[in-house]
Amino acid sequence: LETKVGGTTAVDARGFFRDAAAGVVNTGQYPPRVNQATQFTLHWILTNYGTDVKNVEIRSFLGGNVRMVSVVKSTGASLPTYNERTQELAWTIDRIPATKGVIDAPLEAIVQIELLPSIAQVGTAPVLLQATALRAIDEFTGEVLQWSDEPITTELKDDPTIIGSGRGLGAP
């Protein structure tokens, strides 16, 4: 009898307007204003539990009226890539050892984006990054692991400097 116990790999997508911890200075107003560009930083934080994984892919699409400005940094060997035509942001990692992010620091990628809101987005919380999907292969069991995280809007639920309900888009 042989029993194999698999692991789990998770991605946590976070968005920030003020991101001093990452050493990034974003420009623009918060809340954003119509036809005025505002920059944000997006973080993908990867945690791997239990077993080594390979062929890790993290993918998401930027929201409407959002463009990538630059890849700020990555703690892994690879950097995220951006397809301007499809607005897809992707990060591919060859291998992540077991317990990465549990016993030691997680892998993290930081990307700077810019929102140029339209009049149609007034009174809403525009999507900066659609749902993030992770896919990896567990090296021990051979199983395909999948994980997803919710979209990031201008509400910026992870940014501790954003307080209150005034998180929607303002008029010009």
Side-chain angles (χ1 to χ4, degrees):
L1 181 63
E2 182 178 285
T3 302
K4 289 187 175 184
V5 178
T8 299
T9 303
V11 62
D12 183 15
R14 299 180 184 178
F16 299 90
F17 175 63
R18 294 176 193 89
D19 201 359
V24 178
V25 177
N26 292 311
T27 62
Q29 285 189 314
Y30 189 86
R33 301 280 183 230
V34 171
N35 296 324
Q36 296 178 22
T38 300
Q39 293 178 345
F40 300 90
T41 47
L42 302 175
H43 294 238
W44 276 339
I45 302 167
L46 293 171
T47 304
N48 186 35
Y49 306 89
T51 60
D52 296 342
V53 294
K54 64 181 179 180
N55 303 334
V56 181
E57 294 179 354
I58 298 95
R59 297 185 178 279
S60 185
F61 292 90
L62 297 181
N65 301 321
V66 178
R67 69 178 186 93
M68 187 171 115
V69 176
S70 68
V71 174
V72 176
K73 67 179 178 178
S74 166
T75 59
S78 63
L79 293 172
T81 59
Y82 177 63
N83 182 326
E84 191 173 341
R85 185 179 56 78
T86 63
Q87 287 193 285
E88 183 179 41
L89 191 59
W91 189 21
T92 303
I93 302 160
D94 292 333
R95 187 173 187 279
I96 304 174
T99 69
K100 182 71 176 164
V102 178
I103 295 176
D104 57 358
L107 288 176
E108 183 173 10
I110 302 172
V111 174
Q112 189 176 41
I113 60 164
E114 185 174 80
L115 168 67
L116 184 62
S118 71
I119 193 78
Q121 293 173 305
V122 170
T124 69
V127 172
L128 300 173
L129 184 71
Q130 296 179 21
T132 298
L134 176 142
R135 184 183 183 282
I137 297 174
D138 185 314
E139 287 187 349
F140 185 63
T141 65
E143 295 290 318
V144 174
L145 305 174
Q146 295 183 342
W147 187 273
S148 64
D149 200 13
E150 63 187 17
I152 297 172
T153 69
T154 57
E155 289 181 330
L156 301 174
K157 297 175 184 177
D158 295 306
D159 190 331
T161 69
I162 306 298
I163 302 168
S165 60
R167 296 177 175 212
L169 182 66

